[in-house]
Amino acid sequence: NTLRLRSSVSCQVFTSTGVAAKSGTVSPAFLGNLLVVPMDGSHWIGIKAMAQEMGRRGHGVTVVMPEITMRMGPGKHYNTVTYPVPYDKDYIDSLLASHKDVMKKSAKNFLEKISSHFSQIKKFMGLIHTTAESLLFNDSLISHLAQQRFDAVLTDPVVPTGSLIARKLGIPTINLLRGIPCTLDMQSAGCPSPPSYVPRFFTGYTDKMSFKERAVNTLVALLEPLLCRLLYWHFDHIAYQFLGEEVGVAQVLSDSAIWLLRIDFTLEFPRPLMPNIVLVGGINCNVRNPLPEVRLHNVFWSGKCIYFLHIVPTSSH
């Protein structure tokens, strides 16, 4: 069961019961206080899994989310703080319905398709900016968060709201993401990204490129700063208003302590990564039944080793 309370900072707080750590799970000396600022939609899945697990281990976890969301909601092992936004559930539903229509095949010509896709992207970006401003410029809520003395912020830097709050509060940032199309994540993490063998987004190239492909890949790499500017120019303005200093999103993200990338090394092309980048590609995988135990039953030598294996299943299927 969850307990619903009304706080003194004009936001709703959902406090889950039974958050205390199980005996022997985590030493009290290592318990921390984590602030989670997630991104809505499918990005919420990985963040929720981490918030749930951190709370289950006994850490204090507080998730900040808007009152109206697509997928986010309360959980068993974390507390939830919500803030008001200037749109309702009907607007979210209409936005998702129009997005579904845009993604369907239609008889529209190329220019009409481009126009409809651009219009849809503009609507989603407007929703993201409105949601971010509703949180960052809620002075009472930001003051409330500052008083909680959080140890770190867990966030998705594709929408840098959590990173801005972490800089404001002076605490480390932990990023969980798949990647940013203009490679702003690699740039902010300080990773070398030579276009000679690191393929760019949307090119479809591998690390084995011909001279022509390398030339195209280099051209795309030169255009990436312009794409980042188009994607984050409004957040640069928000950062200046919220932090009160001449700083952009790239500089804010460069302060991140840890980058958790939802990719698997064996499925990616080789590229340089910094020591604070950790690959966690299996975080979204379903937990399956464990493999059966394999016990060595007998070994003998007759010119070469022959192993007889005795399989002992761990559970019935």
Side-chain angles (χ1 to χ4, degrees), residues 301-312:
W301 177 266
S302 61
K304 57 182 178 180
C305 290
I306 300 178
Y307 297 90
F308 292 90
L309 301 180
H310 177 60
I311 299 177
V312 182

Side-chain angles (χ1 to χ4, degrees), residues 16-169:
S16 59
T17 59
V19 177
K22 296 181 180 179
S23 177
T25 303
V26 181
S27 171
F30 295 98
L31 295 181
N33 195 15
L34 181 67
L35 174 63
V36 181
V37 185
M39 180 179 175
D40 207 350
S42 60
H43 295 247
W44 163 242
I45 299 174
I47 291 284
K48 180 181 180 181
M50 290 191 62
Q52 288 276 40
E53 182 61 21
M54 294 294 289
R56 188 191 68 80
R57 297 188 180 192
H59 301 280
V61 179
T62 300
V63 181
V64 180
M65 62 182 67
E67 291 179 344
I68 308 299
T69 69
M70 300 178 192
R71 307 186 66 166
M72 296 187 290
K76 181 180 180 181
H77 297 291
Y78 57 82
N79 303 329
T80 305
V81 177
T82 65
Y83 54 93
V85 288
Y87 51 82
D88 55 16
K89 186 65 175 176
D90 291 338
Y91 176 75
I92 296 293
D93 293 339
S94 64
L95 192 62
L96 294 177
S98 61
H99 178 68
K100 185 177 180 180
D101 293 338
V102 169
M103 298 304 293
K104 289 181 179 179
K105 292 183 179 180
S106 65
K108 296 181 180 179
N109 59 42
F110 178 76
L111 292 179
E112 289 175 337
K113 289 181 180 180
I114 291 295
S115 177
S116 59
H117 278 81
F118 180 78
S119 176
Q120 192 66 19
I121 292 174
K122 187 177 180 180
K123 290 179 182 178
F124 271 104
M125 293 301 294
L127 176 67
I128 290 173
H129 295 153
T130 300
T131 304
E133 291 172 347
S134 298
L135 169 58
L136 296 175
F137 300 120
N138 188 330
D139 295 334
S140 57
L141 177 54
I142 297 299
S143 176
H144 170 73
L145 297 177
Q147 296 172 7
Q148 304 308 304
R149 302 181 65 84
F150 291 106
D151 298 304
V153 173
L154 172 64
T155 188
D156 188 326
V158 174
V159 177
T161 309
S163 301
L164 293 174
I165 293 177
R167 187 179 179 94
K168 183 79 169 181
L169 302 183

